[in-house]
Amino acid sequence: MATDNEHVVIIGNGISGVTAARFIRKLSDKKITIISGETKYFFSRTALMYIYMGHMKFENTQPYEPWFWEKNRIDLVFDYVDEVNTQAKTLRMRQGETINYDKLIIACGSTPNKFGWPGQDLDAVQGLYSYQDLEGMEKYSKDLERAVIVGGGLIGLEMAEMFQSRNIPVTFLVREKSYWDAVMPKEESLMIGRHIVEHHIDLRLETELKEILSDDHGRARAVITNTGEKIECQFVGLTAGVSPNIQFIKTSEACDIDTQKGILVNDYLETTAPDVYALGDCAQLMNPMEGRRPIEAIWYTGRMMGETVAHTICGKRTAYVPSLWFNSAKFLDIEYQVYGDVRANPPSNHAQLYWEHEEGRKSIRLVFDKETNAILGFNLMGVRYRHEVCEKWIEEDTSIEEVLQNLGLANFDPEFYDEYEAAVIEQYNRKFNKNLKLKQKRGLTGALRFLKNKFARQE
């Protein structure tokens, strides 16, 4: 039973942990402590690249002023947890302190993958996840003649863009046949690959890291690839994905928390230890929803988890039910949005409508069910759609033809952005031998009316 004299301790001050703290405070007078050895205050991790590029200062990435925490009675401990004792309900800190808890939330995020490459622990070899990683990039950029980045995901391309902002040449090693082809459909993957090359990044497809060579001072000086090529460099970025940051859980002796790749949690984000919860990147759902991954290292799912567990801890046991899958990013100059079910290797019941602008930097992909014609997903490159409109269409199983006829409702800002709805319908008519017409464009006013009707029906 929840009581207001409980001590809730949160390991990690990212979006998951901070959201949990904020909502616990809204719902109760419990004592709250957040522990982090990365930074004292919560900051926006996605903004790290903009600090390096000179677009922002670190203090501008902190959503809350320093006084916020004291005003809301949230204690901050700047330290790392070395051991969790779930039997005694204690945490042993790296600086020697012991902290007792009544409820424990583990929201300790991720750590960049290492796969046992020779030289992976040399100086100037690192990932891009933490504030300390940003400091490392800053330190080693001073005399940097070339960087080699390993891994073809979003973080690797962000790191390449960061170095390019300082005119530091980059070689990008991607083991796949095209960039991020395990996630992106073929056409979008090829588009991003072309865009990377256009930005003078030395993209090496189907190329893997074999070894990192050291100089006389223990710093990286070159890499050897799986083709036997030697590439001189003074920095190696390891961006081949991330894994849950849970080594301290696995090495804790009196800890009854079961783990696999991440910390195993049930539908209520409860671990196998009493009064212990796990959120965000480090949590592995035992029973993920169909079509969803057991670990989703995404900002908005971490935020939802934080809010959900706050209700449980404050007396209203609440299951975690993720909303519609959504992600957004920026590939150099190309914005990316995905809503719903869009796969690199779609199942047999998925039909695809793909339109690409002649300049090769914009595309719209609509995915729908072959049997029911219900819209399943949107994949957008260089084009922005309204989140709420796409979400409503998918949730209500709207037919592909109704979506196409009203596609103007999703256009983010018709007054300032080009519209491509007519071209998409023309593509649909050619591919499926139809004669569909675009309904009258209704712009922002129509979209607001559309959403107002949606919420009115829900009430």
Side-chain angles (χ1 to χ4, degrees):
M1 182 176 179
T3 61
D4 271 3
N5 60 0
E6 288 180 327
H7 184 197
V8 180
V9 177
I10 301 169
I11 303 175
N13 70 346
I15 186 62
S16 302
V18 168
T19 300
R22 288 179 51 245
F23 276 87
I24 291 169
R25 177 54 67 237
K26 286 181 180 181
L27 298 169
S28 76
D29 288 323
K30 299 179 189 296
K31 177 177 172 59
I32 302 171
T33 300
I34 297 178
I35 301 170
S36 173
E38 181 184 7
T39 58
K40 183 176 180 180
Y41 301 117
F42 168 53
F43 71 96
S44 175
R45 193 171 303 280
T46 56
L48 284 174
M49 67 180 296
Y50 300 112
I51 301 171
Y52 180 93
M53 296 168 71
H55 299 169
M56 302 179 73
K57 294 181 179 179
F58 177 66
E59 54 266 31
N60 301 137
T61 71
Q62 298 171 359
Y64 307 109
E65 297 290 344
W67 51 258
F68 170 89
W69 309 99
E70 183 176 356
K71 178 181 178 181
N72 287 280
R73 292 171 289 121
I74 299 173
D75 297 329
L76 304 179
V77 174
F78 185 50
D79 199 357
Y80 290 99
V81 176
D82 275 347
E83 185 175 355
V84 177
N85 186 329
T86 58
Q87 298 167 18
K89 288 192 170 183
T90 61
L91 307 175
R92 181 171 60 81
M93 310 305 295
R94 186 163 299 178
Q95 297 179 28
E97 183 183 1
T98 296
I99 296 178
N100 298 293
Y101 70 84
D102 295 302
K103 305 284 187 184
L104 177 64
I105 298 173
I106 305 172
C108 49
S110 297
T111 186
N113 286 333
K114 292 184 177 181
F115 295 106
W117 295 294
Q120 65 181 20
D121 295 319
L122 291 169
D123 291 340
V125 179
Q126 62 168 74
L128 175 59
Y129 182 85
S130 67
Y131 180 72
Q132 285 72 26
D133 290 332
L134 175 67
E135 290 182 314
M137 286 186 65
E138 191 67 58
K139 172 184 176 181
Y140 293 117
S141 293
K142 294 175 183 177
D143 58 350
L144 190 51
E145 296 178 10
R146 175 169 293 275
V148 170
I149 298 173
V150 181
L154 289 170
I155 296 175
L157 192 51
E158 284 184 359
M159 184 179 275
E161 185 175 1
M162 291 164 73
F163 283 131
Q164 278 220 321
S165 73
R166 300 192 184 184
N167 298 314
I168 298 170
V170 175
T171 296
F172 199 5
L173 306 186
V174 175
R175 70 175 182 176
E176 291 81 15
K177 292 184 178 180
S178 63
Y179 175 83
W180 218 25
D181 65 1
V183 175
M184 299 282 267
K186 178 181 177 181
E187 290 84 357
E188 290 92 329
S189 174
L190 293 173
M191 176 188 296
I192 300 305
R194 295 193 305 267
H195 196 58
I196 291 170
V197 173
E198 288 169 359
H199 277 73
H200 308 292
I201 294 171
D202 179 22
L203 178 62
R204 307 287 186 92
L205 298 173
E206 297 184 272
T207 305
E208 299 182 44
L209 174 65
K210 182 180 179 181
E211 181 181 359
I212 305 170
L213 303 181
S214 174
D215 66 11
D216 294 336
H217 304 287
R219 175 175 174 171
R221 66 174 176 85
V223 301
I224 305 296
T225 72
N226 60 330
T227 65
E229 182 183 6
K230 179 181 176 181
I231 303 174
E232 301 285 344
C233 63
Q234 299 78 41
F235 184 98
V236 180
L238 301 181
T239 63
V242 295
S243 296
N245 180 29
I246 59 170
Q247 188 59 31
F248 72 102
I249 299 292
K250 294 184 176 182
T251 57
S252 295
E253 293 183 0
C255 182
D256 298 321
I257 300 172
D258 287 349
T259 64
Q260 289 181 358
K261 185 175 181 182
I263 297 172
L264 292 172
V265 295
N266 63 15
D267 293 348
Y268 297 87
L269 304 174
E270 299 162 332
T271 73
T272 51
D275 298 321
V276 181
Y277 308 82
L279 313 178
D281 297 16
C282 68
Q284 178 178 341
L285 290 166
M286 299 180 197
N287 303 297
M289 291 176 60
E290 184 179 356
R292 302 293 288 263
R293 296 179 178 180
I295 301 174
E296 292 183 337
I298 299 294
W299 183 90
Y300 85 92
T301 56
R303 179 182 54 79
M304 287 184 63
M305 285 182 171
E307 183 175 349
T308 298
V309 85
H311 287 283
T312 294
I313 285 177
C314 293
K316 184 180 179 181
R317 192 163 181 257
T318 304
Y320 169 63
V321 180
S323 63
L324 176 78
W325 173 256
F326 163 70
N327 198 6
S328 65
K330 185 174 73 70
F331 302 107
L332 300 168
D333 300 329
I334 298 179
E335 286 192 70
Y336 161 64
Q337 288 182 312
V338 58
Y339 301 98
D341 194 354
V342 179
R343 310 186 200 182
N345 299 295
S348 59
N349 68 307
H350 282 204
Q352 308 267 339
L353 174 64
Y354 178 76
W355 169 86
E356 184 174 309
H357 192 276
E358 60 184 7
E359 72 176 16
R361 295 183 183 179
K362 295 182 175 69
S363 67
I364 297 169
R365 181 183 298 272
L366 306 183
V367 180
F368 58 100
D369 190 286
K370 287 182 179 178
E371 299 297 326
T372 66
N373 282 329
I375 189 73
L376 300 174
F378 299 81
N379 209 58
L380 307 165
M381 307 295 292
V383 177
R384 191 184 298 181
Y385 277 178
R386 297 183 183 279
H387 187 130
E388 297 86 352
V389 174
C390 294
E391 185 176 60
K392 176 181 184 295
W393 279 332
I394 294 172
E395 288 178 347
E396 296 185 355
D397 296 325
T398 308
S399 74
I400 179 63
E401 295 199 348
E402 183 177 344
V403 168
L404 286 167
Q405 287 180 304
N406 294 280
L407 205 53
L409 292 173
N411 199 304
F412 186 76
D413 195 340
E415 185 177 352
F416 296 103
Y417 291 87
D418 291 335
E419 299 178 65
Y420 305 106
E421 292 78 31
V424 176
I425 284 187
E426 183 180 349
Q427 182 83 348
Y428 177 80
N429 288 338
R430 284 200 304 268
K431 182 172 181 178
F432 297 99
N433 195 25
K434 297 294 184 81
N435 191 29
L436 208 62
K437 301 292 184 183
L438 183 67
K439 290 185 177 179
Q440 182 180 359
K441 301 175 184 177
R442 285 174 281 183
L444 176 59
T445 301
L448 293 175
R449 187 182 301 116
F450 174 75
L451 294 171
K452 181 179 179 181
N453 292 338
K454 168 194 172 181
F455 295 126
R457 285 195 297 272
Q458 289 177 346
E459 292 173 357

Short mmCIF file of all heavy atoms in Angstrom, two decimals, residues 104-159:
data_model
loop_
_atom_site.label_atom_id
_atom_site.label_comp_id
_atom_site.label_asym_id
_atom_site.label_seq_id
_atom_site.Cartn_x
_atom_site.Cartn_y
_atom_site.Cartn_z
N LEU A 104 12.25 1.65 -5.43
CA LEU A 104 13.42 1.94 -6.27
C LEU A 104 13.01 1.92 -7.74
O LEU A 104 12.39 0.96 -8.20
CB LEU A 104 14.53 0.91 -6.03
CG LEU A 104 15.79 1.05 -6.90
CD1 LEU A 104 16.51 2.36 -6.60
CD2 LEU A 104 16.72 -0.14 -6.67
N ILE A 105 13.38 2.99 -8.44
CA ILE A 105 13.17 3.06 -9.89
C ILE A 105 14.54 3.07 -10.56
O ILE A 105 15.35 3.96 -10.29
CB ILE A 105 12.38 4.32 -10.28
CG1 ILE A 105 10.99 4.31 -9.66
CG2 ILE A 105 12.28 4.45 -11.80
CD1 ILE A 105 10.22 5.61 -9.85
N ILE A 106 14.78 2.10 -11.45
CA ILE A 106 16.04 2.04 -12.18
C ILE A 106 15.80 2.58 -13.59
O ILE A 106 15.03 2.00 -14.35
CB ILE A 106 16.61 0.62 -12.22
CG1 ILE A 106 16.75 0.06 -10.81
CG2 ILE A 106 17.96 0.59 -12.94
CD1 ILE A 106 17.13 -1.41 -10.75
N ALA A 107 16.43 3.68 -13.90
CA ALA A 107 16.25 4.33 -15.21
C ALA A 107 17.61 4.82 -15.68
O ALA A 107 17.82 6.00 -15.94
CB ALA A 107 15.26 5.48 -15.09
N CYS A 108 18.54 3.87 -15.78
CA CYS A 108 19.96 4.20 -15.95
C CYS A 108 20.40 4.22 -17.41
O CYS A 108 21.60 4.33 -17.70
CB CYS A 108 20.83 3.23 -15.16
SG CYS A 108 20.43 1.51 -15.40
N GLY A 109 19.47 4.11 -18.36
CA GLY A 109 19.79 4.35 -19.76
C GLY A 109 20.63 3.27 -20.42
O GLY A 109 20.59 2.10 -20.06
N SER A 110 21.42 3.71 -21.40
CA SER A 110 22.18 2.80 -22.27
C SER A 110 23.66 3.10 -22.22
O SER A 110 24.09 4.13 -21.69
CB SER A 110 21.70 2.95 -23.73
OG SER A 110 20.36 2.57 -23.88
N THR A 111 24.41 2.22 -22.83
CA THR A 111 25.85 2.42 -23.01
C THR A 111 26.21 1.96 -24.42
O THR A 111 25.62 0.99 -24.92
CB THR A 111 26.66 1.66 -21.95
OG1 THR A 111 28.02 1.99 -22.06
CG2 THR A 111 26.48 0.16 -22.08
N PRO A 112 27.14 2.64 -25.12
CA PRO A 112 27.49 2.23 -26.49
C PRO A 112 28.03 0.81 -26.54
O PRO A 112 28.76 0.38 -25.64
CB PRO A 112 28.57 3.25 -26.89
CG PRO A 112 28.29 4.45 -26.04
CD PRO A 112 27.80 3.90 -24.73
N ASN A 113 27.67 0.09 -27.57
CA ASN A 113 28.12 -1.29 -27.74
C ASN A 113 29.61 -1.38 -28.04
O ASN A 113 30.16 -0.54 -28.77
CB ASN A 113 27.37 -1.97 -28.89
CG ASN A 113 25.94 -2.32 -28.53
OD1 ASN A 113 25.63 -2.52 -27.36
ND2 ASN A 113 25.08 -2.41 -29.53
N LYS A 114 30.23 -2.40 -27.47
CA LYS A 114 31.58 -2.80 -27.85
C LYS A 114 31.54 -4.30 -28.12
O LYS A 114 30.92 -5.04 -27.38
CB LYS A 114 32.59 -2.49 -26.74
CG LYS A 114 32.82 -1.00 -26.50
CD LYS A 114 33.91 -0.78 -25.45
CE LYS A 114 34.21 0.70 -25.25
NZ LYS A 114 35.29 0.92 -24.24
N PHE A 115 32.21 -4.72 -29.18
CA PHE A 115 32.12 -6.11 -29.59
C PHE A 115 33.46 -6.83 -29.53
O PHE A 115 33.69 -7.79 -30.27
CB PHE A 115 31.53 -6.19 -31.01
CG PHE A 115 30.11 -5.72 -31.08
CD1 PHE A 115 29.79 -4.49 -31.65
CD2 PHE A 115 29.07 -6.48 -30.56
CE1 PHE A 115 28.48 -4.04 -31.71
CE2 PHE A 115 27.76 -6.05 -30.62
CZ PHE A 115 27.46 -4.83 -31.19
N GLY A 116 34.32 -6.37 -28.63
CA GLY A 116 35.59 -7.06 -28.44
C GLY A 116 36.62 -6.75 -29.50
O GLY A 116 37.55 -7.54 -29.71
N TRP A 117 36.52 -5.60 -30.15
CA TRP A 117 37.51 -5.23 -31.16
C TRP A 117 38.87 -4.99 -30.48
O TRP A 117 38.93 -4.28 -29.46
CB TRP A 117 37.11 -3.95 -31.88
CG TRP A 117 35.88 -4.04 -32.71
CD1 TRP A 117 35.69 -4.78 -33.84
CD2 TRP A 117 34.66 -3.31 -32.50
NE1 TRP A 117 34.43 -4.57 -34.34
CE2 TRP A 117 33.77 -3.68 -33.54
CE3 TRP A 117 34.23 -2.40 -31.54
CZ2 TRP A 117 32.48 -3.16 -33.65
CZ3 TRP A 117 32.95 -1.88 -31.63
CH2 TRP A 117 32.10 -2.26 -32.68
N PRO A 118 39.96 -5.49 -31.00
CA PRO A 118 41.27 -5.12 -30.48
C PRO A 118 41.47 -3.62 -30.55
O PRO A 118 41.24 -3.00 -31.59
CB PRO A 118 42.24 -5.86 -31.42
CG PRO A 118 41.46 -7.01 -31.97
CD PRO A 118 40.05 -6.48 -32.11
N GLY A 119 41.84 -3.01 -29.43
CA GLY A 119 42.05 -1.57 -29.38
C GLY A 119 40.83 -0.76 -29.01
O GLY A 119 40.89 0.47 -29.00
N GLN A 120 39.71 -1.41 -28.69
CA GLN A 120 38.48 -0.66 -28.44
C GLN A 120 38.53 0.19 -27.16
O GLN A 120 37.70 1.09 -26.98
CB GLN A 120 37.28 -1.60 -28.36
CG GLN A 120 37.31 -2.56 -27.19
CD GLN A 120 36.10 -3.49 -27.17
OE1 GLN A 120 35.42 -3.70 -28.19
NE2 GLN A 120 35.81 -4.06 -26.02
N ASP A 121 39.50 -0.06 -26.28
CA ASP A 121 39.61 0.70 -25.04
C ASP A 121 40.75 1.73 -25.07
O ASP A 121 41.12 2.30 -24.03
CB ASP A 121 39.81 -0.25 -23.85
CG ASP A 121 38.59 -1.15 -23.64
OD1 ASP A 121 37.46 -0.64 -23.77
OD2 ASP A 121 38.77 -2.35 -23.37
N LEU A 122 41.29 1.99 -26.24
CA LEU A 122 42.33 3.01 -26.37
C LEU A 122 41.76 4.41 -26.13
O LEU A 122 40.54 4.62 -26.20
CB LEU A 122 42.96 2.96 -27.77
CG LEU A 122 43.81 1.74 -28.12
CD1 LEU A 122 44.13 1.73 -29.61
CD2 LEU A 122 45.10 1.74 -27.29
N ASP A 123 42.63 5.37 -25.89
CA ASP A 123 42.20 6.77 -25.83
C ASP A 123 41.70 7.20 -27.21
O ASP A 123 42.17 6.70 -28.24
CB ASP A 123 43.38 7.67 -25.43
CG ASP A 123 43.80 7.46 -23.98
OD1 ASP A 123 42.99 6.92 -23.19
OD2 ASP A 123 44.95 7.82 -23.65
N ALA A 124 40.74 8.12 -27.21
CA ALA A 124 40.12 8.63 -28.44
C ALA A 124 39.33 7.56 -29.18
O ALA A 124 39.16 7.62 -30.40
CB ALA A 124 41.16 9.26 -29.38
N VAL A 125 38.82 6.59 -28.42
CA VAL A 125 37.88 5.59 -28.95
C VAL A 125 36.67 5.62 -28.03
O VAL A 125 36.77 5.30 -26.84
CB VAL A 125 38.51 4.18 -28.97
CG1 VAL A 125 37.49 3.17 -29.50
CG2 VAL A 125 39.77 4.17 -29.82
N GLN A 126 35.52 5.99 -28.55
CA GLN A 126 34.35 6.17 -27.69
C GLN A 126 33.07 6.23 -28.51
O GLN A 126 33.09 6.29 -29.74
CB GLN A 126 34.50 7.49 -26.91
CG GLN A 126 34.54 8.71 -27.83
CD GLN A 126 34.40 10.02 -27.09
OE1 GLN A 126 35.31 10.46 -26.42
NE2 GLN A 126 33.22 10.65 -27.24
N GLY A 127 31.95 6.24 -27.78
CA GLY A 127 30.65 6.43 -28.42
C GLY A 127 30.18 7.86 -28.26
O GLY A 127 30.95 8.76 -27.91
N LEU A 128 28.87 8.07 -28.48
CA LEU A 128 28.24 9.37 -28.30
C LEU A 128 26.90 9.14 -27.62
O LEU A 128 25.88 8.93 -28.27
CB LEU A 128 28.06 10.10 -29.63
CG LEU A 128 27.31 11.43 -29.56
CD1 LEU A 128 28.02 12.41 -28.64
CD2 LEU A 128 27.14 12.04 -30.96
N TYR A 129 26.93 9.14 -26.30
CA TYR A 129 25.70 8.94 -25.53
C TYR A 129 25.63 9.89 -24.34
O TYR A 129 24.63 10.55 -24.12
CB TYR A 129 25.61 7.49 -25.04
CG TYR A 129 24.34 7.20 -24.28
CD1 TYR A 129 23.17 6.86 -24.96
CD2 TYR A 129 24.29 7.29 -22.90
CE1 TYR A 129 21.98 6.63 -24.26
CE2 TYR A 129 23.11 7.06 -22.19
CZ TYR A 129 21.96 6.73 -22.89
OH TYR A 129 20.78 6.51 -22.20
N SER A 130 26.73 9.99 -23.59
CA SER A 130 26.73 10.74 -22.34
C SER A 130 27.37 12.12 -22.50
O SER A 130 28.01 12.42 -23.52
CB SER A 130 27.50 9.96 -21.28
OG SER A 130 28.88 9.90 -21.63
N TYR A 131 27.23 12.92 -21.46
CA TYR A 131 27.90 14.22 -21.42
C TYR A 131 29.41 14.03 -21.44
O TYR A 131 30.14 14.82 -22.05
CB TYR A 131 27.47 15.00 -20.18
CG TYR A 131 28.12 16.35 -20.08
CD1 TYR A 131 27.75 17.39 -20.94
CD2 TYR A 131 29.11 16.60 -19.14
CE1 TYR A 131 28.36 18.63 -20.87
CE2 TYR A 131 29.73 17.84 -19.06
CZ TYR A 131 29.34 18.85 -19.92
OH TYR A 131 29.95 20.08 -19.85
N GLN A 132 29.89 12.97 -20.80
CA GLN A 132 31.31 12.67 -20.80
C GLN A 132 31.80 12.34 -22.21
O GLN A 132 32.95 12.65 -22.57
CB GLN A 132 31.62 11.52 -19.85
CG GLN A 132 31.57 11.90 -18.37
CD GLN A 132 30.16 12.15 -17.84
OE1 GLN A 132 29.19 11.62 -18.38
NE2 GLN A 132 30.05 12.96 -16.80
N ASP A 133 30.95 11.71 -23.02
CA ASP A 133 31.31 11.45 -24.42
C ASP A 133 31.49 12.77 -25.18
O ASP A 133 32.40 12.90 -26.01
CB ASP A 133 30.24 10.60 -25.11
CG ASP A 133 30.21 9.18 -24.58
OD1 ASP A 133 31.26 8.68 -24.13
OD2 ASP A 133 29.13 8.55 -24.65
N LEU A 134 30.62 13.72 -24.91
CA LEU A 134 30.76 15.05 -25.53
C LEU A 134 32.09 15.69 -25.14
O LEU A 134 32.80 16.25 -25.98
CB LEU A 134 29.60 15.94 -25.13
CG LEU A 134 29.68 17.39 -25.60
CD1 LEU A 134 29.56 17.48 -27.12
CD2 LEU A 134 28.60 18.24 -24.94
N GLU A 135 32.43 15.58 -23.86
CA GLU A 135 33.69 16.13 -23.39
C GLU A 135 34.87 15.44 -24.08
O GLU A 135 35.87 16.09 -24.43
CB GLU A 135 33.80 15.97 -21.88
CG GLU A 135 32.85 16.85 -21.09
CD GLU A 135 33.03 16.68 -19.60
OE1 GLU A 135 33.12 15.53 -19.13
OE2 GLU A 135 33.08 17.70 -18.88
N GLY A 136 34.77 14.13 -24.30
CA GLY A 136 35.82 13.40 -24.99
C GLY A 136 35.99 13.86 -26.42
O GLY A 136 37.12 14.06 -26.90
N MET A 137 34.88 14.05 -27.13
CA MET A 137 34.96 14.54 -28.50
C MET A 137 35.61 15.91 -28.55
O MET A 137 36.42 16.20 -29.44
CB MET A 137 33.56 14.59 -29.13
CG MET A 137 32.99 13.24 -29.50
SD MET A 137 31.42 13.39 -30.40
CE MET A 137 31.96 14.19 -31.90
N GLU A 138 35.26 16.76 -27.60
CA GLU A 138 35.84 18.10 -27.55
C GLU A 138 37.35 18.01 -27.30
O GLU A 138 38.15 18.68 -27.98
CB GLU A 138 35.17 18.90 -26.43
CG GLU A 138 35.49 20.37 -26.46
CD GLU A 138 34.91 21.08 -27.66
OE1 GLU A 138 33.68 21.04 -27.85
OE2 GLU A 138 35.70 21.67 -28.43
N LYS A 139 37.75 17.17 -26.38
CA LYS A 139 39.17 17.02 -26.03
C LYS A 139 39.99 16.54 -27.22
O LYS A 139 41.06 17.09 -27.51
CB LYS A 139 39.30 16.03 -24.88
CG LYS A 139 40.72 15.64 -24.53
CD LYS A 139 40.74 14.58 -23.43
CE LYS A 139 42.15 14.10 -23.14
NZ LYS A 139 42.17 13.05 -22.08
N TYR A 140 39.50 15.52 -27.94
CA TYR A 140 40.30 14.91 -28.99
C TYR A 140 40.15 15.60 -30.34
O TYR A 140 40.82 15.24 -31.31
CB TYR A 140 39.94 13.43 -29.12
CG TYR A 140 40.35 12.63 -27.90
CD1 TYR A 140 39.38 12.00 -27.11
CD2 TYR A 140 41.68 12.51 -27.55
CE1 TYR A 140 39.76 11.27 -25.99
CE2 TYR A 140 42.06 11.77 -26.43
CZ TYR A 140 41.09 11.16 -25.66
OH TYR A 140 41.47 10.44 -24.54
N SER A 141 39.29 16.61 -30.43
CA SER A 141 39.11 17.32 -31.70
C SER A 141 40.21 18.34 -31.97
O SER A 141 40.36 18.81 -33.10
CB SER A 141 37.75 18.02 -31.73
OG SER A 141 36.70 17.08 -31.76
N LYS A 142 40.99 18.68 -30.96
CA LYS A 142 41.94 19.78 -31.08
C LYS A 142 43.00 19.53 -32.15
O LYS A 142 43.40 20.45 -32.85
CB LYS A 142 42.58 20.05 -29.72
CG LYS A 142 41.58 20.56 -28.69
CD LYS A 142 42.21 20.70 -27.32
CE LYS A 142 41.18 21.15 -26.28
NZ LYS A 142 41.77 21.23 -24.91
N ASP A 143 43.47 18.30 -32.26
CA ASP A 143 44.51 18.00 -33.25
C ASP A 143 44.07 16.90 -34.20
O ASP A 143 44.88 16.14 -34.71
CB ASP A 143 45.81 17.59 -32.53
CG ASP A 143 45.61 16.37 -31.64
OD1 ASP A 143 44.44 15.98 -31.43
OD2 ASP A 143 46.61 15.82 -31.16
N LEU A 144 42.78 16.84 -34.46
CA LEU A 144 42.21 15.72 -35.21
C LEU A 144 42.30 15.97 -36.71
O LEU A 144 41.80 16.97 -37.22
CB LEU A 144 40.75 15.54 -34.78
CG LEU A 144 40.01 14.29 -35.25
CD1 LEU A 144 40.79 13.03 -34.93
CD2 LEU A 144 38.64 14.24 -34.58
N GLU A 145 42.93 15.03 -37.41
CA GLU A 145 43.05 15.12 -38.87
C GLU A 145 42.01 14.27 -39.58
O GLU A 145 41.60 14.60 -40.70
CB GLU A 145 44.46 14.68 -39.29
CG GLU A 145 45.56 15.57 -38.76
CD GLU A 145 46.94 15.08 -39.15
OE1 GLU A 145 47.03 14.14 -39.98
OE2 GLU A 145 47.94 15.61 -38.63
N ARG A 146 41.58 13.17 -38.98
CA ARG A 146 40.52 12.34 -39.55
C ARG A 146 39.89 11.51 -38.44
O ARG A 146 40.58 11.03 -37.54
CB ARG A 146 41.03 11.41 -40.66
CG ARG A 146 39.94 10.43 -41.19
CD ARG A 146 40.36 9.71 -42.45
NE ARG A 146 40.48 10.64 -43.56
CZ ARG A 146 39.46 11.01 -44.34
NH1 ARG A 146 38.25 10.55 -44.13
NH2 ARG A 146 39.68 11.87 -45.32
N ALA A 147 38.57 11.35 -38.52
CA ALA A 147 37.84 10.46 -37.62
C ALA A 147 37.27 9.30 -38.42
O ALA A 147 36.84 9.48 -39.57
CB ALA A 147 36.72 11.21 -36.91
N VAL A 148 37.25 8.12 -37.82
CA VAL A 148 36.57 6.96 -38.39
C VAL A 148 35.40 6.62 -37.47
O VAL A 148 35.58 6.51 -36.25
CB VAL A 148 37.52 5.75 -38.52
CG1 VAL A 148 36.73 4.49 -38.89
CG2 VAL A 148 38.58 6.02 -39.58
N ILE A 149 34.23 6.49 -38.06
CA ILE A 149 33.03 6.17 -37.29
C ILE A 149 32.53 4.80 -37.70
O ILE A 149 32.42 4.50 -38.90
CB ILE A 149 31.95 7.25 -37.51
CG1 ILE A 149 32.47 8.60 -37.01
CG2 ILE A 149 30.66 6.88 -36.80
CD1 ILE A 149 31.56 9.76 -37.33
N VAL A 150 32.24 3.97 -36.71
CA VAL A 150 31.86 2.58 -36.94
C VAL A 150 30.40 2.38 -36.58
O VAL A 150 30.01 2.59 -35.42
CB VAL A 150 32.75 1.63 -36.10
CG1 VAL A 150 32.38 0.18 -36.37
CG2 VAL A 150 34.22 1.88 -36.38
N GLY A 151 29.56 1.99 -37.54
CA GLY A 151 28.16 1.71 -37.26
C GLY A 151 27.23 2.64 -38.00
O GLY A 151 27.39 3.86 -37.95
N GLY A 152 26.26 2.08 -38.69
CA GLY A 152 25.42 2.87 -39.59
C GLY A 152 24.08 3.25 -39.04
O GLY A 152 23.05 3.06 -39.70
N GLY A 153 24.02 3.80 -37.82
CA GLY A 153 22.75 4.25 -37.27
C GLY A 153 22.68 5.75 -37.15
O GLY A 153 23.50 6.50 -37.69
N LEU A 154 21.68 6.22 -36.40
CA LEU A 154 21.47 7.66 -36.24
C LEU A 154 22.61 8.34 -35.51
O LEU A 154 23.05 9.43 -35.89
CB LEU A 154 20.16 7.89 -35.46
CG LEU A 154 18.86 7.57 -36.21
CD1 LEU A 154 17.69 7.60 -35.23
CD2 LEU A 154 18.63 8.58 -37.31
N ILE A 155 23.12 7.70 -34.45
CA ILE A 155 24.16 8.34 -33.65
C ILE A 155 25.44 8.51 -34.48
O ILE A 155 26.13 9.52 -34.38
CB ILE A 155 24.42 7.53 -32.37
CG1 ILE A 155 23.17 7.53 -31.49
CG2 ILE A 155 25.60 8.10 -31.60
CD1 ILE A 155 23.29 6.67 -30.25
N GLY A 156 25.76 7.50 -35.29
CA GLY A 156 26.95 7.60 -36.13
C GLY A 156 26.89 8.77 -37.09
O GLY A 156 27.88 9.50 -37.27
N LEU A 157 25.72 8.98 -37.68
CA LEU A 157 25.59 10.09 -38.62
C LEU A 157 25.61 11.43 -37.89
O LEU A 157 26.15 12.42 -38.40
CB LEU A 157 24.30 9.94 -39.44
CG LEU A 157 24.16 10.85 -40.64
CD1 LEU A 157 25.38 10.80 -41.55
CD2 LEU A 157 22.91 10.51 -41.44
N GLU A 158 25.05 11.48 -36.68
CA GLU A 158 25.14 12.69 -35.88
C GLU A 158 26.60 13.04 -35.59
O GLU A 158 27.02 14.19 -35.69
CB GLU A 158 24.37 12.53 -34.57
CG GLU A 158 22.87 12.62 -34.72
CD GLU A 158 22.16 12.55 -33.39
OE1 GLU A 158 22.84 12.41 -32.35
OE2 GLU A 158 20.92 12.65 -33.37
N MET A 159 27.37 12.02 -35.22
CA MET A 159 28.78 12.24 -34.91
C MET A 159 29.52 12.74 -36.15
O MET A 159 30.36 13.65 -36.08
CB MET A 159 29.43 10.96 -34.38
CG MET A 159 30.86 11.12 -33.95
SD MET A 159 31.60 9.58 -33.31
CE MET A 159 31.08 9.65 -31.60
#
